[in-house]
Amino acid sequence: MRKLILPVIIILLFAACSGNHDYSPKPRGYYRIVFPEKAYQPYQAAAPFTFQYPTYAVIEPDKNANAKPYWLNMQFKQFNGTLHLSYEHINSKKEFNQLAEDAHKLSFKHTIKATSIDQGIINYPDRKVYGIYYSIEGNAASSVQFYLTDSTKNYIRGALYFNNEPRLDSIQPVLTFVKKDVDLMIKSFTWK
């Protein structure tokens, strides 16, 4: 019986190894991202401003203990991202200059990981909306930052963050999609 088992095992091993099987490593896969249809709704609250934002986003008040009135978080839950909006009432030219300088410093803190930081001027004189848009390229934690003002009494700053490790090649499709909605929000922004 022993003499029969060994040849049967050897024959089975050769049979398993025979054939023309092409084994090669599979290419790296990525998660399928389903983008929602572009549709917008107005943000109309008791705040001193209004704007259009995507229907797939949820706006919540900032729950931080240091949050001031009209500080908002626009949650992109499907993409695990947040656009933080912080409003300030301006009382003096000195205060405005300090807020603008803070926005600049906070944007340029990403210089360590960023490959470039481009600044664009926001200028809608018909609605008295002015500001600066910072487009941060590379593996920085935030890819979009901006501030808007009417130059006299209102100021709002925005910063887009995704709640995962900043790898531009991984989040690029989502970032491109969300950036278009942030741009539309800025273009539709008006002071009350």
Side-chain angles (χ1 to χ4, degrees):
M1 188 71 166
R2 278 187 173 171
K3 292 182 180 181
L4 186 62
I5 292 177
L6 186 60
V8 170
I9 290 175
I10 291 173
I11 291 171
L12 288 174
L13 285 173
F14 279 118
C17 294
S18 68
N20 190 10
H21 301 289
D22 183 21
Y23 292 104
S24 60
K26 293 185 177 185
R28 188 174 194 170
Y30 297 98
Y31 294 108
R32 180 173 181 224
I33 301 170
V34 179
F35 293 108
E37 188 176 321
K38 294 278 190 187
Y40 300 94
Q41 60 192 343
Y43 175 75
Q44 295 176 331
F49 51 82
T50 185
F51 53 82
Q52 296 285 320
Y53 70 101
T55 55
Y56 69 89
V58 176
I59 295 182
E60 303 170 343
D62 191 331
K63 295 179 179 123
N64 187 329
N66 298 327
K68 295 182 179 178
Y70 314 121
W71 282 24
L72 306 170
N73 290 327
M74 186 184 302
Q75 301 287 345
F76 303 104
K77 294 182 180 186
Q78 177 178 354
F79 303 125
N80 199 21
T82 305
L83 177 65
H84 300 279
L85 298 168
S86 49
Y87 170 82
E88 297 283 344
H89 182 76
I90 302 170
N91 294 315
S92 68
K93 179 77 171 162
K94 181 181 177 184
E95 186 179 358
F96 170 75
N97 290 339
Q98 184 61 47
L99 289 168
E101 182 61 28
D102 288 347
H104 181 79
K105 283 180 183 176
L106 289 169
S107 296
F108 277 83
K109 272 190 172 182
H110 298 282
T111 303
I112 295 168
K113 295 277 187 171
T115 55
S116 72
I117 300 177
D118 296 324
Q119 298 179 56
I121 295 175
I122 300 167
N123 187 18
Y124 298 107
D126 56 322
R127 290 178 276 135
K128 295 186 179 176
V129 176
Y130 312 98
I132 296 182
Y133 184 94
Y134 299 95
S135 181
I136 304 166
E137 301 295 326
N139 291 327
S142 176
S143 299
V144 173
Q145 296 200 15
F146 63 90
Y147 75 83
L148 303 172
T149 183
D150 62 359
S151 296
T152 56
K153 60 182 179 178
N154 295 302
Y155 171 94
I156 191 165
R157 182 179 174 279
L160 176 65
Y161 287 90
F162 290 97
N163 301 321
N164 53 3
E165 186 178 338
R167 288 190 188 152
L168 185 62
D169 60 338
S170 298
I171 66 165
Q172 188 63 55
V174 172
L175 179 61
T176 302
F177 184 82
V178 173
K179 255 185 170 180
K180 290 178 184 174
D181 294 330
V182 172
D183 292 347
L184 188 128
M185 186 210 96
I186 291 170
K187 288 176 184 171
S188 67
F189 195 92
T190 56
W191 300 105
K192 289 184 181 176

